[in-house]
Each structure stands twice: as structure tokens, then as C-alpha cells.
Amino acid sequence: MTWAIPCPQQPSLPIVGSKDRFPVRRIYCVGQNYAAHAREMGSNPDQEPPFFFSKPADALVADGATIPYPPGTENLHHEAELVVAIGNGGASIPRETALDHVWGYAVGNDLTRRDLQAAAKKIGRPWDMSKGFDNSAPCAPLHPASSTGHLTSGAINLTVNGETRQSSNLSDLIWSVADVIAYLSTLVELMPGDLIFTGTPEGVGPLVPGDVCVVEIEGLGKLTTRIGK
């Protein structure tokens, strides 16, 4: 087969302790999956089922990268998140076996153009340009679940220039990793190479040029992202 244009590079993530890389197919994100964050965004976590949005796989950014401040916004926000990598696909996956589909875990940051998101919400338009822009998915190297076990608790924190902005625990997820996989797999068939950003705790806030943003999850290490001009 020949291509009419150069074939795009396959997005991928490094793997801790390995020279291999994990190819990424799709990135799914869970909205408002911590109760306090749902409330700070004006929602009721006791009444709403999980909902999802997507980012393109080539929005991934490596740990330690400096990214340009994105165009079209004056209110870029950080969102610390646990990332789940799918190793075995499936549809309508039972909750009881959902964790068997997990390949590994990583630290992520769901960067958001908050002003664009607010404007889209106000008039009922899609969130795509507020969530799926270039460099919007910083993600640290993957840790195989075979080495970490399945994460049901552990501190998740985010600092900006050394100041704590977000601090919570994975046990505070409204919908657990197993719940998320089971529910999402009723809407789409999950495939090997899919990533799921599982939601952010309360304390989301702005980033400006020159900021150094560090997300840390207990047992998974840190993700550092610098905001350029």
C-alpha cells in the first residue's frame, strides 16, 4: 500500500521499566467524577450518571515537556487525573471483570480552555475545542498493572510553582475504574490502546505562561508540564 500523503506518526506512551511503547488509539475522559469538583462546576453528583468526552490521541504530551499557551483562550485550566490504559477490549463489559481489561495506569493532566467550555455549555454546543486542542493531554509513562496492582485508593495532588492547588484521594472517585469501564463499554466497544482519563478532584484553576504544573499520584510518580508563551 502507498499513501497519498505522509502517514501520521502513531501516538504512544513510554512504559516504565521497558523500551517498548504503548500505542494509543483513542482517549476517553470522564466528566465530573469527584463529588466536590462536580459541585464546584455547578452540578449535582448525586443525580447524574457518568458522561464522557474525547481528546485526539495526538494531543498527548510527554512528561517534562514545555507546551505553548494555547490560542483562543484566556483561561487555561489544569485538571489532575488518573489515566487507565486498556489492554483487552470488549463491549458491555461486566463490572465484576472490568479490571481484567486494564493494562496499566499513569498520571495525567486534562488541560481545558475553561472560557471556551463555559461558552459552549451556555448555548448547548459541543466541548470539542475546549478539551481536544493541541497538547491538551499531558501524560506520564505507563505503569503496568502487573507491577502496581489495581489502584482503588492513593493520594492525588497537583501543584503550580510549588503551591498545592488540588489534593484528594482516588478513593473519592464517584465512579470507580471498574464502574467507568463497564459503563463506557455499553456506549462504545473499547479496544486495546484506548486511554481513559478518569476525572479530576476539586481545585481546578488557571495556568499562565511560565507556570510549572506537577501532578502526583501515590504509587505512580509525577507528571511535570511547563507552560510556555
Side-chain angles (χ1 to χ4, degrees):
M1 179 185 294
T2 58
W3 303 103
I5 61 172
C7 191
Q9 185 175 355
Q10 169 66 55
S12 64
L13 287 175
I15 298 168
V16 174
S18 174
K19 294 181 180 179
D20 294 337
R21 295 186 68 89
F22 185 90
V24 175
R25 190 185 79 112
R26 293 180 180 173
I27 301 175
Y28 299 102
C29 306
V30 188
Q32 300 178 10
N33 199 21
Y34 288 79
H37 173 59
R39 293 188 182 100
E40 76 178 352
M41 299 303 292
S43 300
N44 186 339
D46 299 321
Q47 295 180 355
E48 298 181 8
F51 67 94
F52 301 88
F53 56 91
S54 298
K55 292 176 181 275
D58 64 3
L60 286 168
V61 177
D63 178 37
T66 297
I67 64 172
Y69 193 90
T73 186
E74 295 181 353
N75 196 18
L76 175 68
H77 273 210
H78 57 74
E79 297 193 6
E81 308 212 4
L82 172 69
V83 179
V84 176
I86 299 298
N88 298 310
S92 299
I93 297 168
R95 184 191 184 283
E96 294 73 21
T97 60
L99 294 182
D100 295 341
H101 295 258
V102 175
W103 192 92
Y105 297 94
V107 182
N109 193 347
D110 169 19
L111 295 180
T112 302
R113 295 195 277 206
R114 191 70 72 200
D115 44 359
L116 271 65
Q117 184 188 40
K121 283 182 176 181
K122 187 174 181 179
I123 56 178
R125 289 183 177 173
W127 290 9
D128 296 54
M129 291 299 100
S130 67
K131 288 288 191 177
F133 53 95
D134 296 340
N135 304 307
S136 62
C139 192
L142 278 172
H143 293 251
S146 58
S147 63
T148 62
H150 291 294
L151 304 178
T152 57
S153 65
I156 176 170
N157 301 294
L158 181 145
T159 63
V160 177
N161 304 326
E163 176 187 351
T164 298
R165 294 273 191 89
Q166 294 182 267
S167 182
S168 188
N169 196 288
L170 299 179
S171 61
D172 290 334
L173 284 165
I174 299 171
W175 303 92
S176 70
V177 171
D179 291 329
V180 167
I181 291 171
Y183 193 96
L184 180 56
S185 72
T186 68
L187 302 174
V188 294
E189 182 178 2
L190 293 174
M191 300 292 287
D194 289 342
L195 299 182
I196 304 173
F197 280 59
T198 58
T200 194
E202 70 277 14
V204 299
L207 294 167
V208 299
D211 280 348
V212 178
C213 184
V214 179
V215 185
E216 184 173 8
I217 296 178
E218 186 177 346
L220 297 180
K222 298 179 180 181
L223 165 67
T224 300
T225 307
R226 294 172 174 82
I227 308 302
K229 296 182 178 181

